[in-house]
Amino acid sequence: MNHLNTRSGRRWLQGRWRLGALLGTLLVLTAACSPAAPATSPTTGAHTLEVGATLEPPSMDPFHNAAASIPQVLLYNVYETLVKVDSEGALKPLLAQAWELSEDRTIYTFHLNPAAKFASGQAVDSAAVKASIDRMKADSTITETLRAQLAVIDSVEAPEPAKVVFTLTRPSLMWLYDMSSTLGMVVDPAFTGELGTLTAGSGPYALKTQNKGQSVVLSKNASYWGTPGRFDEVTFRYFSDPNAMNASMLAGDLDVIASLQAPDALPQFADTTRFTTISGTTNGEVVLGLNHDNKALAKKAVRQALTMAIDRKALMDTVWNGQGTLIGSMAVPTDPWYEDLSATNAYDPVKAKELLKDAGYGSGLTLKLRVPVIPYAVKSAQFVASQLRDVGVTAKIEELEFSRWIPEVFTNGDYDLTIVGHVEARDLGKFANPKYYWHYGNAEFAKLYTAADEAGEESAIPLMKQAVRFLADDAAAIWLFALPNLVITSTDVTGVSLNATTLSFDLTTIASR
Amino acid sequence: MSTAGWRLARRVGIFAVSLLGASMLIFVVTAALPGDVAQVLLGMDATPEAVARLRHQLGLDRPLPVQYLSWIGGILTGNFGVSHLSGDPVLALMLPRLAVTLWLVLFGVIGSLVIALPAGLLAALKRRHWQGFLVNALAQVGMAIPVFWGGILLVLLFAVKLRWLPANGYVPLSQDLGKWASHLVLPAVTLSVVQGAVLTRYVRSAFIEVLNEDYYRTARAIGWTPTAALVRHGTRNAAISLVTVLGLQLSTVLVGAIVVEQVFTLPGLGSLLLTAVAQRDLLVVQGTVMFLVLAVLAINALVDFSYLLIDPRQRSGGEET
């Protein structure tokens, strides 16, 4: 390139530099100009709501994908159920105005609201309800939770358009609660599209778009049959990094953080002129699971000793800023059968040592504590290991990525101790399943639980309480604490549910100024 | 065949063999990951039989070589497969993400050059003065800052404190030019500052080398000012080593973008990869990694070819003269 040695070459080179300078100026200009286009608070005027959430729904089909992030967006907002669970944990009418059950509690008759219609305009009648259940029954690829819940339903009849009759294979208290979740979602029978990408519900909102990797946008169902949605558009934005979500809230880009991931971020939102902090309860029990297949852990005295060795109040204060509820068994404050059992097998390291000695473990006991890499689990594990050391038990901590924890710990039971949050609602029945990863095949508990589930309205709650107490006394597991429902909203937003009693982030009660 | 022709053929051969090796490695490593997508789809309560049934439906129970051949065969015909998790074609998932990552990398590289060239030149010319030491010190600090931390600091200042810019997120260019730009400023600056700091030190040493060359001394002797001589005669000579570094860095930027995407929740390739790994959506993982490998190899090849463009001595073929 000889021209470099000429004057034109010099100009060429200078041209290069000029280009660089131009690009630099452009970059600076972009930076300087962009304050003109910042995200102003999206609530004012536009009637939109921006909700920050953690896990992105992999698809919009709750029937073939077990991800809890799907019903978080769709339940009650897009798809409706016959009955719903309110913020206090009580069953309320939704598509069904009323319902009654037979003497033997196996036949449920629901009276549908005649006004109810799908977003398509078609009426939500008994045939639609029947079709939704029958469609799931005929489908071999639905999620395992749904398959198990469907087993209770013997048949569905639609004698009149506004009357639908469910016949159960056995009486069940839990069944109606299940019907308030994904199992009960009524899908428009006229819909023939792909449920993974489109929705066909009767709720106040419908899916507008899903921006993979980013957000799900719902728009108002203009022809909603009930109280219309208060927002024209609701955007769920997904953040895999909790710090990014907090920053977005602080910057005013979000109206709501649906669930604060770590309570140590709370002080950031202390400014009450900008933010409202809601602190309620969830269905999430943080369980220190004991593998009953382990020789030592099969002994009740050892399990009780381990429970007594751990100061659960101090643990909650240390790892979760004191946010949460001490529960002591597999029930949370919004369960009708809840009572505070945290005093059962209360913290008493001296007695714990005695019990261990009597059980033949006076000289020590070594256990594998394998936990998934989830903040509460990892932090709790360190606290637990340190307290167990004080009573002569060595807990060897191993942290596993969640997708490795499932096959190794959950499926194959390769562990002695583990810590994980159980977020499903009313899930104490899991202890009645000897194949479940705790391998707690206690026949007495299973009998108590089944009796309570099949009992009539009045006797069910006391019987269920008995079952819950049995678990606590038997130290079937160690209940560390119940996760709090920490929601941050801008002060403009009102009506967010105090407690997270279902998987839904219920938009129907939320409004903004 | 001419020397250049041979060189080209050799380059393409290496390229193809590296790709094939990389594809096998990617496949074996991802297949060895414990956990699988069938379990993720069916939920924790799924029975082993149900998981096995779904694995069969998804074709995950076929022998590994068969799975590999069907995967690589698909890629050769432009079919990256379908995500088990969402049912979307992998390519359709990747392309919109690729656009985000490319913008980020493009602005990141431009920004780092805008920082590094003048700063490195200054540091070389004034290397025994306070300006040189200052640039050096700043470059050291810039290198020491982890990308994610730098990003968080910028967010705290410009988004949370001053509220000039959005803290994170992304708006496509086709949707809104202003919002697109405002969402890219902080991530691009983050990437530029850190990469610029690294590059500054290379620019400095490349120019210092030029300062010791005969042609520079001659240029000075005939009356050129130091800056003019350096810019006039030094740039092209320094460019050879700089392009090498830039090529290497481009690969780092591509990977560094994963972290930046995470901090700023940009829906780029990096965030796609992370989610897919966590959910064991293996075809998406394999497709994305394969694409990144392809990009890095292509950059390396381009760097090799660019030597020919910059350095006339390489073009003529030393053996022939």
Side-chain angles (χ1 to χ4, degrees):
Chain A
M1 244 191 233
N2 290 324
H3 68 263
L4 243 191
N5 300 328
T6 66
R7 285 168 66 89
S8 73
R10 203 178 306 151
R11 241 179 269 131
W12 174 83
L13 205 59
Q14 284 163 347
R16 277 270 160 113
W17 281 107
R18 226 176 284 140
L19 184 71
L22 187 72
L23 281 172
T25 322
L26 263 179
L27 204 77
V28 172
L29 270 180
T30 328
C33 288
S34 27
T40 46
S41 180
T43 41
T44 44
H47 294 293
T48 63
L49 188 75
E50 298 258 338
V51 181
T54 317
L55 289 171
E56 186 193 359
S59 97
M60 283 288 119
D61 180 352
F63 306 105
H64 298 95
N65 195 309
S69 49
I70 304 174
Q72 179 184 42
V73 175
L74 299 182
L75 185 63
Y76 305 150
N77 302 325
V78 174
Y79 291 106
E80 295 185 306
T81 50
L82 295 175
V83 290
K84 80 182 267 186
V85 173
D86 72 5
S87 172
E88 301 307 312
L91 287 165
K92 290 282 152 73
L94 187 57
L95 287 170
Q97 286 175 310
W99 61 93
E100 62 241 13
L101 56 164
S102 65
E103 279 290 295
D104 65 352
R105 296 180 312 282
T106 55
I107 301 170
Y108 281 69
T109 309
F110 295 92
H111 303 279
L112 302 179
N113 191 323
K117 56 178 183 172
F118 292 106
S120 65
Q122 184 141 352
V124 182
D125 55 12
S126 55
V129 177
K130 178 175 162 56
S132 285
I133 297 288
D134 288 348
R135 185 182 46 81
M136 279 188 275
K137 284 217 160 199
D139 190 338
S140 66
T141 56
I142 52 164
T143 65
E144 210 51 33
T145 312
L146 286 175
R147 186 194 308 283
Q149 292 173 348
L150 276 172
V152 184
I153 303 174
D154 185 49
S155 65
V156 188
E157 300 302 327
E160 292 167 33
K163 190 166 146 186
V164 61
V165 182
F166 281 77
T167 308
L168 306 189
T169 53
R170 59 176 180 83
S172 171
L173 178 68
M174 296 298 183
W175 175 73
L176 206 51
Y177 288 104
D178 293 341
M179 280 298 283
S180 71
S181 195
T182 305
L183 178 71
M185 287 182 181
V186 182
V187 181
D188 191 340
F191 177 77
T192 51
E194 178 58 53
L195 280 176
T197 47
L198 299 166
T199 60
S202 58
Y205 295 94
L207 176 70
K208 188 183 175 198
T209 46
Q210 178 172 20
N211 304 310
K212 287 276 164 78
Q214 237 183 324
S215 61
V216 171
V217 185
L218 303 182
S219 59
K220 187 151 103 177
N221 169 8
S223 61
Y224 182 55
W225 60 276
T227 314
R230 292 179 181 85
F231 301 99
D232 298 319
E233 237 175 60
V234 179
T235 306
F236 285 84
R237 276 183 60 195
Y238 296 97
F239 297 84
S240 45
D241 176 15
N243 288 318
M245 178 151 67
N246 297 344
S248 208
M249 186 79 204
L250 289 169
D253 301 344
L254 289 177
D255 299 309
V256 180
I257 289 182
S259 167
L260 198 67
Q261 287 307 294
D264 39 11
L266 270 179
Q268 294 182 46
F269 303 102
D271 181 357
T272 50
T273 59
R274 287 187 64 202
F275 305 110
T276 311
T277 302
I278 294 164
S279 175
T281 63
T282 63
N283 287 317
E285 302 101 346
V286 179
V287 180
L288 171 56
L290 311 172
N291 188 349
H292 292 255
D293 278 353
N294 179 294
K295 195 160 57 72
L297 296 174
K299 294 183 181 165
K300 181 175 172 180
V302 173
R303 299 197 301 267
Q304 287 179 322
L306 296 186
T307 313
M308 289 174 194
I310 299 163
D311 185 350
R312 281 141 282 165
K313 173 83 175 65
L315 181 140
M316 191 172 80
D317 287 345
T318 311
V319 307
W320 225 237
N321 276 29
Q323 301 281 332
T325 320
L326 295 174
I327 43 179
S329 187
M330 201 66 173
V332 293
T334 46
D335 288 337
W337 45 84
Y338 170 77
E339 51 192 342
D340 182 359
L341 294 171
S342 55
T344 314
N345 297 320
Y347 178 54
D348 188 347
V350 179
K351 191 160 175 221
K353 267 191 209 165
E354 275 172 31
L355 281 173
L356 282 170
K357 202 174 149 207
D358 296 346
Y361 296 99
S363 54
L365 173 64
T366 301
L367 298 167
K368 281 187 290 187
L369 174 52
R370 308 186 81 200
V371 294
V373 187
I374 301 173
Y376 62 75
V378 172
K379 285 180 168 181
S380 298
Q382 284 150 5
F383 192 93
V384 165
S386 123
Q387 294 226 302
L388 290 182
R389 200 178 307 127
D390 294 344
V391 297
V393 175
T394 311
K396 285 192 179 157
I397 302 179
E398 192 189 343
E399 293 173 10
L400 306 171
E401 193 202 350
F402 194 61
S403 32
R404 206 182 133 202
W405 181 90
I406 294 180
E408 295 188 15
V409 174
F410 188 80
T411 309
N412 294 336
D414 179 14
Y415 78 105
D416 300 320
L417 309 171
T418 186
I419 298 171
V420 78
H422 282 255
V423 296
E424 303 92 338
R426 297 161 293 276
D427 46 4
L428 76 155
K430 306 265 197 231
F431 280 94
N433 176 5
K435 284 192 197 151
Y436 204 59
Y437 76 108
W438 303 306
H439 310 117
Y440 178 66
N442 188 307
E444 204 180 334
F445 170 76
K447 225 169 83 190
L448 277 174
Y449 176 76
T450 313
D453 190 33
E454 295 183 356
E457 292 279 329
E458 318 79 47
S459 47
I461 308 288
L463 282 174
M464 205 57 95
K465 279 189 175 170
Q466 218 177 312
V468 174
R469 258 181 250 140
F470 181 91
L471 284 182
D473 180 63
D474 200 38
I478 301 172
W479 292 271
L480 299 178
F481 61 98
L483 288 166
N485 182 38
L486 297 173
V487 183
I488 309 290
T489 73
S490 83
T491 43
D492 291 338
V493 176
T494 55
V496 176
S497 297
L498 175 65
N499 305 314
T501 50
T502 65
L503 294 174
S504 163
F505 185 77
D506 193 347
L507 296 167
T508 59
T509 55
I510 302 178
S512 83
R513 276 196 286 276
Chain B
M1 205 187 280
S2 71
T3 324
W6 266 117
R7 207 180 275 185
L8 191 75
R10 202 171 135 253
R11 202 52 243 187
V12 170
I14 292 174
F15 189 79
V17 171
S18 319
L19 264 188
L20 193 69
S23 74
M24 287 181 191
L25 200 65
I26 290 166
F27 191 85
V28 169
V29 169
T30 46
L33 284 174
D36 74 87
V37 72
Q39 181 88 50
V40 175
L41 276 169
L42 290 171
M44 306 237 315
D45 292 342
T47 56
E49 299 80 58
V51 173
R53 202 163 48 230
L54 188 60
R55 282 179 61 87
H56 179 72
Q57 277 180 15
L58 298 174
L60 294 172
D61 58 348
R62 294 173 299 168
L64 276 187
V66 176
Q67 288 191 49
Y68 173 75
L69 286 178
S70 92
W71 175 63
I72 201 77
I75 286 187
L76 287 176
T77 57
N79 175 11
F80 278 68
V82 170
S83 158
H84 294 317
L85 208 61
S86 62
D88 298 323
V90 174
L91 209 57
L93 284 174
M94 271 166 52
L95 287 181
R97 308 285 195 122
L98 179 63
V100 181
T101 303
L102 282 187
W103 284 126
L104 183 61
V105 169
L106 177 71
F107 290 128
V109 168
I110 291 177
S112 61
L113 281 175
V114 166
I115 294 172
L117 284 180
L121 197 62
L122 182 73
L125 282 171
K126 304 274 184 189
R127 66 187 188 284
R128 296 195 216 289
H129 300 268
W130 65 268
Q131 295 99 321
F133 288 119
L134 183 69
V135 170
N136 255 353
L138 285 178
Q140 283 287 6
V141 172
M143 280 170 70
I145 294 178
V147 180
F148 72 91
W149 193 66
I152 290 173
L153 285 187
L154 286 175
V155 167
L156 284 180
L157 180 60
F158 290 102
V160 173
K161 192 88 191 145
L162 299 170
R163 298 179 77 178
W164 286 358
L165 293 162
N168 45 49
Y170 183 73
V171 176
L173 178 60
S174 54
Q175 205 172 315
D176 188 324
L177 175 73
K179 283 190 178 164
W180 168 79
S182 68
H183 279 92
L184 273 177
V185 172
L186 287 182
V189 169
T190 306
L191 208 52
S192 306
V193 167
V194 178
Q195 297 299 334
V198 180
L199 205 56
T200 300
R201 296 180 55 80
Y202 285 108
V203 173
R204 177 179 176 271
S205 43
F207 277 115
I208 285 179
E209 220 167 277
V210 172
L211 290 179
N212 300 325
E213 295 285 349
D214 293 343
Y215 57 78
Y216 176 77
R217 196 188 49 209
T218 311
R220 289 280 285 128
I222 61 169
W224 288 78
T225 64
T227 316
L230 206 55
V231 170
R232 169 90 162 74
H233 295 292
T235 313
R236 183 171 279 245
N237 282 293
I240 296 171
S241 53
L242 286 184
V243 163
T244 311
V245 175
L246 202 63
L248 285 174
Q249 264 208 302
L250 208 55
S251 316
T252 334
V253 171
L254 212 53
V255 178
I258 295 178
V259 178
V260 173
E261 282 170 17
Q262 206 61 10
V263 172
F264 291 96
T265 56
L266 293 177
L269 277 185
S271 54
L272 176 69
L273 186 60
L274 277 184
T275 343
V277 169
Q279 297 177 323
R280 295 295 183 264
D281 202 351
L282 294 191
L283 282 179
V284 176
V285 177
Q286 290 160 0
T288 314
V289 176
M290 196 62 209
F291 178 83
L292 288 175
V293 168
L294 185 73
V296 170
L297 288 176
I299 290 168
N300 286 348
L302 283 178
V303 167
D304 275 6
F305 290 130
S306 74
Y307 293 151
L308 299 178
L309 211 68
I310 297 168
D311 190 350
R313 288 166 296 189
Q314 298 213 17
R315 228 170 309 157
S316 53
E319 305 93 321
E320 284 171 355
T321 49

